Each structure stands twice: as structure tokens, then as C-alpha cells.
Amino acid sequence: MNTKLKKIAGQQLQLLRLEKNLTQEQMSEKLNLSTSAYCKIEYGETDLTLTRLDKIAKVLGISALSLFSHIDKSMNPDTDNSCKNNSNNDSTYDLNDLRELIKANTRIIDLLSKRIDLLEQRL
């Protein structure tokens, strides 16, 4: 995940957290992270996994898809004024990175779901 995408994702997570009136400390507790580890997520200093994003979405009371939608909107200058200084090429590149990340992790989730189904059949 590139630095620009991490920062935008972190900013959106911060806004959503504030909308829910949660502190960084409360979020970190709910996610079983140290406060400094959670702060690094909001500051865009760490890569986010799909699993981590899903846990964050659950804590915020939204779906992972809705969370991705918030991030996507903030990266698209046509739908959000906060990114007016970005060129369209940069936004397209970042959106493609996010889409590829989602596709890759979706394949992993599908494989894991199949493995779970197989294990449940054995029980």
C-alpha cells in the first residue's frame, strides 16, 4: 500500500472514529492494539490488512464495504473536495492499488472459507 493511500485511509478512519465519539485509546482497546500502534494506522505509518480493516469497521459499526467506500470517495477528486490538489492520474493509480488489494484479499478469504467448510464437514 503506497504512502498516499495509507494517509488517506488513516484520515478517513480518524473521521469515522470521531463521528462515533471514540478516542484513539478506546479504539486501540477494542482492537487489542497499543494506542501507539493504532495511532500509526491513523497517521498512515503502517500497512493495513483486510482483516484489520474489517475489525476496525466492526468497531465503528459499519460494513467493511462502507469503510472502503469512505476511503474511495476521499481519493476521488470528483466526489470529494478534500483531494482537489491531486491529479487524476494519482487518484486513479491509488484507486487501482486499493482495488487490487481488495481483489487479492477477496481470493484469500474465498480460499479460507472453503477450508473452513471442509473442516466443518469433517466434524
Side-chain angles (χ1 to χ4, degrees), residues 19-71:
E19 284 177 10
K20 299 292 181 178
N21 295 316
L22 293 169
T23 66
Q24 289 178 327
E25 292 80 13
Q26 290 168 322
M27 282 295 290
S28 62
E29 286 174 18
K30 291 176 184 286
L31 296 168
N32 284 335
L33 295 173
S34 68
T35 302
S36 64
Y38 181 75
C39 288
K40 286 182 181 183
I41 292 171
E42 284 192 3
Y43 297 142
E45 296 174 359
T46 189
D47 283 334
L48 289 169
T49 63
L50 187 58
T51 302
R52 176 74 40 86
L53 284 170
D54 186 53
K55 288 179 182 177
I56 291 170
K58 285 179 182 171
V59 168
L60 295 171
I62 60 174
S63 70
L65 185 59
S66 179
L67 180 58
F68 285 125
S69 177
H70 280 280
I71 294 168

Side-chain angles (χ1 to χ4, degrees), residues 13-122:
L13 292 175
Q14 182 181 32
L15 289 173
L16 291 167
R17 174 182 57 79
L18 292 172
E19 284 177 10
K20 299 292 181 178
N21 295 316
L22 293 169
T23 66
Q24 289 178 327
E25 292 80 13
Q26 290 168 322
M27 282 295 290
S28 62
E29 286 174 18
K30 291 176 184 286
L31 296 168
N32 284 335
L33 295 173
S34 68
T35 302
S36 64
Y38 181 75
C39 288
K40 286 182 181 183
I41 292 171
E42 284 192 3
Y43 297 142
E45 296 174 359
T46 189
D47 283 334
L48 289 169
T49 63
L50 187 58
T51 302
R52 176 74 40 86
L53 284 170
D54 186 53
K55 288 179 182 177
I56 291 170
K58 285 179 182 171
V59 168
L60 295 171
I62 60 174
S63 70
L65 185 59
S66 179
L67 180 58
F68 285 125
S69 177
H70 280 280
I71 294 168
D72 184 41
K73 284 179 186 175
S74 70
M75 294 177 66
N76 189 342
D78 296 332
T79 58
D80 187 337
N81 293 334
S82 67
C83 293
K84 278 193 173 178
N85 294 332
N86 296 334
S87 72
N88 285 334
N89 291 339
D90 287 344
S91 294
T92 302
Y93 178 76
D94 292 340
L95 288 174
N96 288 335
D97 283 350
L98 183 57
R99 286 187 180 104
E100 288 303 314
L101 177 65
I102 292 168
K103 285 179 190 176
N105 283 297
T106 300
R107 287 188 289 265
I108 292 169
I109 290 170
D110 288 341
L111 288 171
L112 290 172
S113 293
K114 288 177 185 176
R115 287 185 183 174
I116 290 169
D117 290 342
L118 288 173
L119 288 171
E120 286 176 338
Q121 289 175 359
R122 290 181 186 170

